[in-house]
Amino acid sequence: MDVVRRAVKFAELQASGKKKPSMGGSKEPENMSYQEVADQINVILNHLQSLEDPMIQQWMTSDEETLRGYTIQYDLTAANKDKLLLLVESMFHNEETPEMIVELLQLADGVNKHQLTLQSVLETTVSGLLETLSVPEYGCEGL
């Protein structure tokens, strides 16, 4: 994580000069300022640190395969809101407790300030389900 911290410092130092980063063949960074790069690296660093959270550690060492799977899924979200929503959706499908889901959302919010609540995630999940059911091939048009 020390390398990541040094990368953040470098990007912030470069940001003070208003220079644009050059990242080779990558698409996005050409349009990003050094400050935006530093902010993104900070999010990644926060995500890596969140993997040391007691809840995540407990899941990681659990005898339950489902909980270990959540740990892997959470790690792979890399603080991405859409991926996090997919993880929470799978937790709903597996009938996990609201308290467990809220605890995960709070941990993720500390990483990237998604401002997700149990209610907002439920609304997104139900809305997506209704959209899926309204597809003509499922024969449930007009829901």
Side-chain angles (χ1 to χ4, degrees), residues 73 76-89:
Q73 286 181 289
L76 294 175
T77 68
N80 177 289
K81 184 177 182 177
D82 294 333
K83 291 178 183 179
L84 181 64
L85 285 171
L86 289 173
L87 168 58
V88 172
E89 187 175 303

Side-chain angles (χ1 to χ4, degrees), residues 26-82:
S26 185
K27 301 173 196 166
E28 289 183 27
E30 292 176 10
N31 298 324
M32 295 176 70
S33 70
Y34 275 108
Q35 187 58 52
E36 291 168 323
V37 171
D39 292 343
Q40 185 61 37
I41 293 172
N42 267 321
V43 167
I44 293 168
L45 177 61
N46 290 340
H47 176 71
L48 290 173
Q49 290 171 333
S50 76
L51 295 173
E52 297 173 359
D53 183 84
M55 177 186 67
I56 298 297
Q57 291 297 308
Q58 181 183 9
W59 290 1
M60 194 180 304
T61 59
S62 173
D63 292 336
E64 292 183 47
E65 187 175 328
T66 304
L67 292 178
R68 290 192 313 271
Y70 293 155
T71 302
I72 293 168
Q73 286 181 289
Y74 178 75
D75 185 13
L76 294 175
T77 68
N80 177 289
K81 184 177 182 177
D82 294 333

Side-chain angles (χ1 to χ4, degrees), residues 124-137:
T124 302
T125 302
V126 170
S127 175
L129 180 60
L130 289 175
E131 284 179 27
T132 301
L133 291 174
S134 67
V135 174
E137 60 205 45

Side-chain angles (χ1 to χ4, degrees), residues 74 77-89 91-92 98-125:
Y74 178 75
T77 68
N80 177 289
K81 184 177 182 177
D82 294 333
K83 291 178 183 179
L84 181 64
L85 285 171
L86 289 173
L87 168 58
V88 172
E89 187 175 303
M91 292 175 79
F92 280 129
E99 294 81 13
M100 177 189 256
I101 294 170
V102 166
E103 190 174 355
L104 178 69
L105 291 173
Q106 289 171 341
L107 177 63
D109 190 54
V111 171
N112 200 12
K113 306 295 180 225
H114 293 302
Q115 298 179 335
L116 294 172
T117 63
L118 188 59
Q119 180 177 344
S120 69
V121 172
L122 273 170
E123 289 171 357
T124 302
T125 302

